[in-house]
């Protein structure tokens, strides 16, 4: 038996230099291979039996001036949704207290705004302070923010700001006409600069191609900092919206999207977000196996349905999953010491041609099966690997 050599620290480091071709190759992996790799990435940063649980509340519903094609809250579409005013702080706090009692670690408040008006800010700030005082993590999603508004929310104790890119920047103009993707980037910059965590993901099933799904995930992963939370929403088709009759996406394609998000952003919470009510138990289980480790719990999302809370608890029990405590949530992305930051392609490559999802791209090398077998053997026996040092177990240095 040869001497034991330590395994590389991180086989799935934090990278900001993904190319679309590389990510498309990850998408194209055989399904079980993709899930295996996503599972490895997940285990490198998290306990895969723990799922972070958030509860969502619409604090200001409907009548939104934006024209997002997917959204039932847009005033541009003929949905039957009644618009309502910003809720009172006490009523919001009561709901947050209940969410905590039901096991949530984070409380997310959403408003159907293009951006908050100055007159709205004091009430939102009071909501954030009060919810934070309950010992919950706080998240809000209010549309576009300027730098001052972001600082105000940070000072109130806001942990996360949810602001999704929603789709491939090149497809964006077909889904939303009232703002640009650059507006989205600007708000994300203000949120990061104010010192808050970002919750930023997208929607799949809006008629986009796999290439466009890959492009959305590349854009997210190549942001200056990975969003600490990455919601992957499946379109909830709502009558009256332009996407009401969008053709349903193959469930395996949704699971693939979750898996690729996990590989690209290994230390982020990947949230199995909207659309769970339409998913089978088996599909949700596959999403957890693919690295999803966060959900919305509660009978409603913002305006549409979510699985019954009792049903979710039973599913967790059947799958051997448990809610993540607030303390463990805090050990995500920004709190892990010593994460490798790889900003540039290091050349040479492991031979996976980028398809193994490791930090080394390019080159020619062993087949997928060889790579996988060698990696598993290396893990089991902890014998020295004759690979490239990227940890993928290949034979090219
Ligand atoms: N108005 C703010 C904004 O757009 O940023 C915050 C609220 S908005 C409803 C938050 C997110 O909900 C959107 O970015 C989108 O990802 C998601 N969403 C809205 N309608 C959806 C639908 N029908 N299916 C899936 N996700 C949806
Ligand atoms: C996110 O990405 N998904 C949530 C949350 N962020 C705010 C919203 C889902 C909304 C689904 C449609 C609705 O219920 O209105
Ligand atoms: Fe308004 Fe947000 Fe809905 Fe777009 S997604 S219409 S910005 S509430």
């Amino acid at each position: 038996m040869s001497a034991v050599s330590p395994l590389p620290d991180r086989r799935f480091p934090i990278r900001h230099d993904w190319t679309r071709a590389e990510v498309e190759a990850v998408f194209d992996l055989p399904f079980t291979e993709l899930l295996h790799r996503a599972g490895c990435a997940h285990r490198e940063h998290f306990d895969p039996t723990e799922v972070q649980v958030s509860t969502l509340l619409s604090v200001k519903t409907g009548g939104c001036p934006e024209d997002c094609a997917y959204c039932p809250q847009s005033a541009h579409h003929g949905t039957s949704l009644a618009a309502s005013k910003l809720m009172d702080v006490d009523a919001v706090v009561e709901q947050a207290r209940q969410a905590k009692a039901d096991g949530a670690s984070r409380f997310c408040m959403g408003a159907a705004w293009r951006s908050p008006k100055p007159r709205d800010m004091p009430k939102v700030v009071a909501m954030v302070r009060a919810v934070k005082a309950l010992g919950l993590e706080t998240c809000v999603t209010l549309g576009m923010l300027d730098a001052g508004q972001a600082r105000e929310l940070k000072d109130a104790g806001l942990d996360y700001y949810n602001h999704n890119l929603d789709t491939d920047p090149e497809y964006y103009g077909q889904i939303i006409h009232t703002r640009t993707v650059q507006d989205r980037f600007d708000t994300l910059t203000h949120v990061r600069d104010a010192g808050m965590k970002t919750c930023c993901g997208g929607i799949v099933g809006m008629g986009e191609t796999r290439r466009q799904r890959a492009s959305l995930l590349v854009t997210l992963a190549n942001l200056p900092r990975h969003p600490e939370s990455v919601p992957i929403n499946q379109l909830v088709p709502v009558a009256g919206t332009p996407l009401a009759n969008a053709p349903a996406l193959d469930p395996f394609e949704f699971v693939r999207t979750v898996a690729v998000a996990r590989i690209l952003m290994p230390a982020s919470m990947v949230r199995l977000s909207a659309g769970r009510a339409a998913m089978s138990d088996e599909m949700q289980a596959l999403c957890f196996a693919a690295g999803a480790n966060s959900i919305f719990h509660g009978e409603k999302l913002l305006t549409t349905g979510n699985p019954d809370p009792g049903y979710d608890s039973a599913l967790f029990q059947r799958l051997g999953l448990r809610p993540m405590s607030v303390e463990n949530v805090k050990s995500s992305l920004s709190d892990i010491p010593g994460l490798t930051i790889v900003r540039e392609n290091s050349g040479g490559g492991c031979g996976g041609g980028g398809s193994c999802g490791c930090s080394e791209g390019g080159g020619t090398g062993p087949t997928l099966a060889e790579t996988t077998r060698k990696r598993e053997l290396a893990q089991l026996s902890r014998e020295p690997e004759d690979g490239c040092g990227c940890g993928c177990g290949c034979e090219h240095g």
Side-chain angles (χ1 to χ4, degrees):
M1 194 78 143
S2 39
V4 173
S5 78
L7 286 170
D9 277 352
R10 298 278 174 199
R11 294 194 300 165
F12 294 89
I14 308 301
R15 290 180 52 191
H16 299 269
D17 61 347
W18 290 96
T19 66
R20 189 170 60 195
E22 228 181 337
V23 174
E24 281 187 277
V26 180
F27 250 109
D28 291 345
L29 283 168
F31 186 74
T32 50
E33 185 57 33
L34 175 59
L35 254 62
H36 172 73
R37 289 173 193 205
C40 291
H42 192 183
R43 279 155 187 76
E44 199 162 285
H45 295 274
F46 294 99
D47 175 344
T49 65
E50 291 191 335
V51 177
Q52 187 275 328
V53 175
S54 292
T55 294
L56 194 52
L57 176 67
S58 179
V59 298
K60 196 273 163 208
T61 306
C64 184
E66 303 272 35
D67 73 347
C68 314
Y70 46 80
C71 187
Q73 303 201 68
S74 167
H76 294 255
H77 314 321
T79 57
S80 53
L81 193 75
S84 65
K85 288 196 179 141
L86 184 60
M87 282 175 72
D88 284 334
V89 179
D90 289 351
V92 172
V93 174
E94 191 39 50
Q95 300 257 3
R97 198 171 278 127
Q98 188 58 51
K100 189 179 180 194
D102 292 343
S105 61
R106 189 179 310 159
F107 194 68
C108 308
M109 295 159 270
W113 286 327
R114 172 174 165 81
S115 55
K117 300 216 164 37
R119 65 164 189 263
D120 300 319
M121 287 302 286
K123 215 166 169 183
V124 173
V125 161
M127 286 175 191
V128 171
R129 275 193 208 290
V131 172
K132 183 80 179 166
L134 296 176
L136 284 161
E137 285 194 309
T138 50
C139 176
V140 297
T141 178
L142 315 170
M144 292 183 272
L145 294 183
D146 62 31
Q149 289 171 321
R151 279 196 299 272
E152 221 182 316
L153 291 168
K154 168 69 182 168
D155 291 346
L158 188 66
D159 297 301
Y160 290 81
Y161 194 79
N162 170 236
H163 203 61
N164 294 333
L165 293 185
D166 279 321
T167 194
D168 173 14
E170 285 176 19
Y171 194 52
Y172 202 84
Q174 294 195 44
I175 301 295
I176 300 154
H177 310 96
T178 49
R179 59 168 187 264
T180 65
V181 72
Q182 187 56 48
D183 291 328
R184 287 316 245 194
F185 288 133
D186 292 346
T187 292
L188 290 167
T189 302
H190 298 321
V191 170
R192 280 192 306 269
D193 288 352
M196 288 181 286
K197 297 179 184 174
T198 57
C199 171
C200 184
I203 308 178
V204 294
M206 299 197 291
E208 76 287 343
T209 60
R210 177 180 282 186
R211 186 183 168 91
Q212 288 167 326
R213 283 185 282 281
S215 196
L216 166 67
L217 295 179
V218 168
T219 310
L220 290 169
N222 290 349
L223 285 168
R225 210 173 72 212
H226 286 182
E228 284 79 0
S229 168
V230 183
I232 306 294
N233 296 281
Q234 174 170 271
L235 175 72
V236 180
V238 179
T241 63
L243 292 176
N245 299 313
L249 189 73
D250 175 0
F252 294 130
E253 188 63 18
F254 183 87
V255 179
R256 279 182 185 275
T257 308
V258 169
V260 177
R262 167 53 65 211
I263 290 169
L264 265 57
M265 293 165 279
S268 300
M269 299 279 173
V270 174
R271 180 175 302 141
L272 177 53
S273 196
R276 280 200 308 120
M279 294 177 195
S280 69
D281 296 346
E282 293 84 353
M283 179 174 169
Q284 292 187 59
L286 280 175
C287 289
F288 293 127
N293 65 344
S294 171
I295 60 161
F296 283 121
H297 182 66
E299 58 203 20
K300 219 158 110 177
L301 291 164
L302 290 172
T303 66
T304 64
N306 202 35
D308 184 77
Y311 197 90
D312 274 348
S313 304
L315 183 63
F316 270 34
Q317 206 153 27
R318 286 163 70 204
L319 299 178
L321 298 173
R322 58 207 155 91
M324 197 181 285
S325 66
V326 176
E327 287 67 37
N328 284 4
V329 173
K330 288 191 176 133
S331 73
S332 69
L333 189 65
S334 51
D335 308 310
I336 294 179
L339 280 179
T340 319
I341 311 284
V342 179
R343 292 194 189 279
E344 285 172 57
N345 276 325
S346 34
C350 70
S355 63
C356 71
C358 81
S359 60
E360 312 285 314
T364 54
T367 63
L368 261 182
E370 285 168 338
T371 301
T372 308
R373 196 170 59 250
K374 291 192 76 176
R375 184 187 286 175
E376 297 308 335
L377 284 173
Q379 263 198 316
L380 285 173
S381 68
R382 298 186 69 82
E383 281 184 358
E385 294 178 76
D386 54 351
C388 64
C390 72
C392 74
C394 79
E395 60 215 355
H396 292 254

